[in-house]
């Protein structure tokens, strides 16, 4: 069982319940259609969204300023700093005890966001040659989420290959100063994998326990769900909830999602069945 991680007023006690991370996209081109930068007043909109997600049961808010969808437009360091740091600071001021994650692959953005009040580094490039955020996380003693990706979807066995890649990234992060108990892994649904390979990862999530780290699942509204169900991003809730429930059954610890309320309810019901501990009269 991974060691607990303390983040502000929240102690993440993995194995006892599932934690829900709400996504705040400060982008104009999010694949899920929920980017906040397309209109004016995006900082206020981000704070309002964070407040709503917390009211719906989110444990953590993940702030991102660059879309990672296929074919997305690259964002400069300066632009991403402008987008994310002000939003992180505003959410921190509005919600002082809320754990905030910064979703980036850029070292200056991660460092500035941590200084502005973020607590967790979520590194989309965590296993790639561009991975550079482990020393930043280590310097701030921040939990570090290592997400899997490959340039091409070439695997003999996608589950075994992903685990091998993540194991190497975890070793590198420890060598760069991250405490082992602060590391979290994300198998990277939709990153360097075909739809069939994503389904294989989802079906093999239990194998990731071998890494001895908490596992984050980010399948919310992903294109694989759209392909299986033949549905656009804004109609993929039921498919997402299926991945959440089955992920929890396989041992997933954190769900990174767009639709917080529905996923919180799914997590609570799944936890009651899978993890136990619920008694009548408990709220």
């Amino acid at each position: 069982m991974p060691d607990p991680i303390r983040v502000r007023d929240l102690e993440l006690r993995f194995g006892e319940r599932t934690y829900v991370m709400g996504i705040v996209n400060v982008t104009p081109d999010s694949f899920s259609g929920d980017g906040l930068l397309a209109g004016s007043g995006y900082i206020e909109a981000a704070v309002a969204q964070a407040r709503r997600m917390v009211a719906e049961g989110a444990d953590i808010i993940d702030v991102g300023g660059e879309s990672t969808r296929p074919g997305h437009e690259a964002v400069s360091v300066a632009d991403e700093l402008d987008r994310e740091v002000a939003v992180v600071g505003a959410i921190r001021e509005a919600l002082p005890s809320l754990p905030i994650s910064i979703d980036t692959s850029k070292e200056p953005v991660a460092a500035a966001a941590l200084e502005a009040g973020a607590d967790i580094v979520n590194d989309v490039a965590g296993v790639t040659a561009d991975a550079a955020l482990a020393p930043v996380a280590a310097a701030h003693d921040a939990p570090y989420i290592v997400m899997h990706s490959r340039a091409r979807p070439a695997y003999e066995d996608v589950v075994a290959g992903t685990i091998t890649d993540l194991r190497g990234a975890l070793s590198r992060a420890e060598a760069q100063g991250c405490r082992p108990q602060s590391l979290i892994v994300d198998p990277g649904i939709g990153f360097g994998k075909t739809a069939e390979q994503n389904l294989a990862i989802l079906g093999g999530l239990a194998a990731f326990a071998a890494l001895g780290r908490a596992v984050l699942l980010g399948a919310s509204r992903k294109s694989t769900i759209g392909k299986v169900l033949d549905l656009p991003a804004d109609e993929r809730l039921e498919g997402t909830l299926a991945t959440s429930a089955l992920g929890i059954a396989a041992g997933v610890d954190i769900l990174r999602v767009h639709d917080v309320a529905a996923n919180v309810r799914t997590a609570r019901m799944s936890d009651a069945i899978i993890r136990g501990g619920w008694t009548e009269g408990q709220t």
Side-chain angles (χ1 to χ4, degrees):
M1 191 74 64
D3 292 337
I5 297 175
R6 185 80 189 185
V7 187
R8 298 206 177 251
D9 290 350
L10 178 66
E11 186 172 56
L12 300 164
R13 302 186 65 85
F14 303 116
E16 295 185 6
R17 75 173 180 92
T18 306
Y19 298 89
V20 174
M21 173 186 282
I23 301 168
V24 174
N25 281 318
V26 192
T27 64
D29 58 346
S30 168
F31 83 92
S32 60
D34 65 337
L36 299 177
L37 205 66
S40 61
Y42 70 92
I43 296 175
E44 294 80 3
V47 171
Q49 184 171 318
R51 287 187 184 276
R52 174 178 57 78
M53 288 179 164
V54 170
E56 292 173 347
D59 301 291
I60 305 163
I61 295 297
D62 189 49
V63 177
E66 180 175 15
S67 173
T68 52
R69 64 177 176 81
H72 74 280
E73 183 177 347
V75 177
S76 70
V77 170
D79 285 347
E80 194 173 341
L81 282 167
D82 286 344
R83 291 179 182 186
E84 294 191 33
V85 175
V87 166
V88 167
I91 293 174
R92 169 58 58 233
E93 183 176 358
L95 298 162
S97 63
L98 173 69
I100 300 173
S101 171
I102 184 67
D103 178 4
T104 187
S105 61
K106 298 181 178 69
E107 184 177 1
V109 175
L114 290 167
E115 292 293 338
D119 308 286
I120 302 167
V121 176
N122 185 6
D123 187 0
V124 71
V127 304
T128 70
D130 296 326
L133 302 190
V136 179
H140 289 78
D141 196 22
Y144 180 47
I145 301 169
V146 182
M147 198 203 78
H148 181 270
S149 181
R150 279 191 183 181
R152 295 186 302 108
Y155 307 83
E156 290 186 12
D157 179 317
V158 68
V159 174
T162 299
I163 289 172
T164 297
D165 290 351
L166 284 168
R167 184 174 283 117
L170 292 171
S171 295
R172 290 190 294 274
E174 290 179 35
Q176 292 172 313
C178 290
R179 292 184 297 115
Q181 60 268 37
S182 73
L183 299 172
I184 298 167
V185 297
D186 176 350
I189 300 299
F191 289 82
K193 303 169 187 72
T194 65
E196 291 82 1
Q197 289 166 344
N198 288 321
L199 291 171
I201 291 286
L202 289 166
L205 284 169
F208 289 82
L211 292 168
R213 301 290 183 269
V215 178
L216 181 150
L217 177 61
S220 180
R221 301 185 187 177
K222 289 288 176 73
S223 63
T224 295
I225 297 171
K227 290 176 180 178
V228 171
L229 301 179
D230 192 23
L231 290 171
D234 61 354
E235 295 183 29
R236 297 174 188 169
L237 176 59
E238 296 89 350
T240 296
L241 298 179
T243 68
S244 296
L246 292 169
I248 292 167
V252 163
D253 301 286
I254 304 170
L255 301 174
R256 182 180 179 272
V257 300
H258 301 85
D259 303 288
V260 169
N263 278 278
V264 166
R265 293 169 187 165
T266 298
R268 287 177 180 169
M269 192 68 216
S270 299
D271 282 347
I273 297 167
I274 301 301
R275 305 190 198 276
W278 183 89
T279 57
E280 191 168 357
Q282 177 180 333
T283 57

